[in-house]
Amino acid sequence: MQRRQFLLSSSLAATAAALALPGVHAHASGRLTPLKFTLDFRVTGQTSPFFLALQRGYYREEGLDVSIDVGAGSVASITRIASGVYQMGLGDINSLIEFQSANPPVVQAVYQYYNRAPFAIIGRKDRGITQDFASLQGKRVAAAAVEATRRAWPIVANQLRVGPDFFQWVTTDFSARDNVMVRGDVDAATYFHDSAVSLFARMNPQLLSVLRYTDAGVNLYGNAILASQALLTQQPQVVAAFLRATNRAIVDTLADPLPAIAATRQREPILDERIELERWRLTAEYVAARDTAAHGLGDVVRTTLEQQVEQVVEMFGLKSRPSADTLFDRSHLPAAASRKVSA
């Protein structure tokens, strides 16, 4: 699985821990603390709460001057944070497990954005694909060479007790995935469920079957807010402030997504409001999912995280097993009452 492509070298990770961070300016002085945040991918409705927090001044109220940049995937997010170029970002917890298996824990998750990973395989009904994973047998499934949904499939396959040749992978660039589905070059394709709105805009969703990994009994956490260990150690109040402001915006967006989508379109005017609203509707199912009714947004169930670590270590043949404590630091989460939502 070419796992080495996804991991930083140990020397880079070790060096990152020693990098100096920007100076902290006390909010009481009227000066703001600069903070660089990297997304995992481009600007869309999936990450609209971050832009709502910017527009409404939630970060500034917490004494932060936050800049948000587009990303190039979860592994790139980890690389950016570990190198010290960014202090915080958004990235997949599975990629973090891989990173920590080969490197010191210089990057940690501090807020679980996706309470469940939005991994799905979406298939064409006219090719015989139904809501049953068994219908994928012998089919052609498109996926990028390096992407989380494809890489997590062995965990689902193990759960379903099917072999590695259950279906045929067709390696396709991200930008071409919708095209090969619409043309019928493949029978199905992997998606973040909320990223599939681009496909739904071109094909009637009633003609498609969505096979969520959660439907196979696989409970995986998805993208989390990450922070550098240097920031956590030297400026923990900055992490807590960022999470308070972001959580506030997530709660607002769950209640009414229109302002958040408008704020996101200010950053990226080319976005279609209707499509991005639908994208957020799907995202919300995974952000406020499963456990959030009990423990609130942003937190994890330790046993579920430990099980995920075991699955990732086994499936990818990792050398070492990161602990839940080094992966996820909950000590900077906002107050529990502020994170309560109805899942």
Side-chain angles (χ1 to χ4, degrees):
M1 300 190 71
Q2 299 180 344
R3 180 170 61 86
R4 291 299 178 190
Q5 298 180 20
F6 309 102
L7 297 176
L8 293 174
S9 68
S10 296
S11 59
L12 173 59
T15 300
L19 290 177
L21 293 166
V24 182
H25 301 307
H27 184 36
S29 70
R31 302 179 68 187
L32 302 175
T33 301
L35 178 69
K36 291 188 66 177
F37 183 87
T38 176
L39 297 174
D40 62 321
F41 202 44
R42 59 179 180 264
V43 175
T44 70
Q46 289 164 307
T47 51
S48 56
F50 297 96
F51 297 100
L52 182 67
L54 273 179
Q55 185 192 67
R56 289 186 169 175
Y58 292 170
Y59 293 129
R60 294 183 68 86
E61 289 178 20
E62 292 285 355
L64 304 177
D65 179 15
V66 175
S67 60
I68 301 176
D69 291 338
V70 298
S74 290
V75 176
S77 292
I78 296 171
T79 303
R80 289 175 171 184
I81 298 167
S83 69
V85 176
Y86 289 81
Q87 289 78 54
M88 299 185 71
L90 196 64
D92 178 42
I93 199 80
N94 296 301
S95 297
L96 185 62
I97 293 169
E98 287 192 87
F99 173 81
Q100 285 199 7
S101 75
N103 299 276
V106 295
V107 179
Q108 289 184 280
V110 293
Y111 185 106
Q112 191 60 49
Y113 188 67
Y114 280 115
N115 181 258
R116 284 296 181 271
F119 299 160
I121 293 177
I122 299 178
R124 296 176 55 124
K125 290 182 178 178
D126 63 355
R127 299 294 177 83
I129 297 177
T130 68
Q131 296 301 133
D132 188 341
F133 279 93
S135 65
L136 290 172
Q137 186 169 11
K139 304 298 185 183
R140 290 166 51 85
V141 181
V146 179
E147 56 101 2
T149 308
R150 176 174 182 166
R151 298 188 67 245
W153 169 254
I155 297 175
V156 182
N158 185 61
Q159 179 76 14
L160 297 173
R161 293 183 172 83
V162 299
D165 57 350
F166 184 62
F167 54 70
Q168 178 187 350
W169 287 113
V170 177
T171 300
T172 308
D173 188 78
F174 278 114
S175 61
R177 185 166 44 184
D178 289 354
N179 291 336
V180 298
M181 279 288 287
V182 172
R183 290 197 304 261
D185 297 343
V186 296
D187 307 305
T190 61
Y191 282 91
F192 269 36
H193 190 185
D194 42 6
S195 294
V197 293
S198 57
L199 176 65
F200 300 154
R202 298 178 60 184
M203 290 187 70
N204 187 336
Q206 295 183 351
L207 302 177
L208 301 166
S209 296
V210 178
L211 296 129
R212 307 184 191 208
Y213 284 15
T214 53
D215 294 337
V218 173
N219 294 320
L220 299 174
Y221 290 117
N223 285 9
I225 297 175
L226 311 175
S228 71
Q229 184 58 51
L231 183 67
L232 287 163
T233 300
Q234 300 172 21
Q235 300 173 302
Q237 73 280 6
V238 170
V239 178
F242 181 87
L243 295 183
R244 283 194 301 270
T246 302
N247 181 78
R248 182 179 174 188
I250 293 172
V251 172
D252 286 354
T253 307
L254 289 169
D256 180 8
L258 275 170
I261 298 302
T264 307
R265 292 185 68 237
Q266 281 191 349
R267 171 67 177 263
E268 197 67 59
I270 197 173
L271 296 177
D272 183 292
E273 180 183 84
R274 179 184 60 82
I275 290 176
E276 298 311 316
L277 280 170
E278 175 62 14
R279 195 189 306 274
W280 172 257
R281 185 190 69 78
L282 292 172
T283 298
E285 295 179 11
Y286 296 91
V287 171
R290 299 280 179 134
D291 320 320
T292 54
H295 61 48
L297 297 166
D299 206 351
V300 298
V301 175
R302 184 184 177 91
T303 54
T304 302
L305 180 58
E306 289 175 338
Q307 181 183 44
Q308 184 165 346
V309 172
E310 291 290 335
Q311 291 172 322
V312 172
V313 168
E314 179 182 354
M315 289 299 105
F316 298 152
L318 303 182
K319 293 181 179 179
S320 64
R321 180 176 289 100
S323 73
D325 291 334
T326 62
L327 283 167
F328 192 87
D329 180 357
R330 64 165 42 85
S331 64
H332 306 288
L333 287 173
S338 70
R339 296 185 289 104
K340 286 294 184 182
V341 293
S342 299

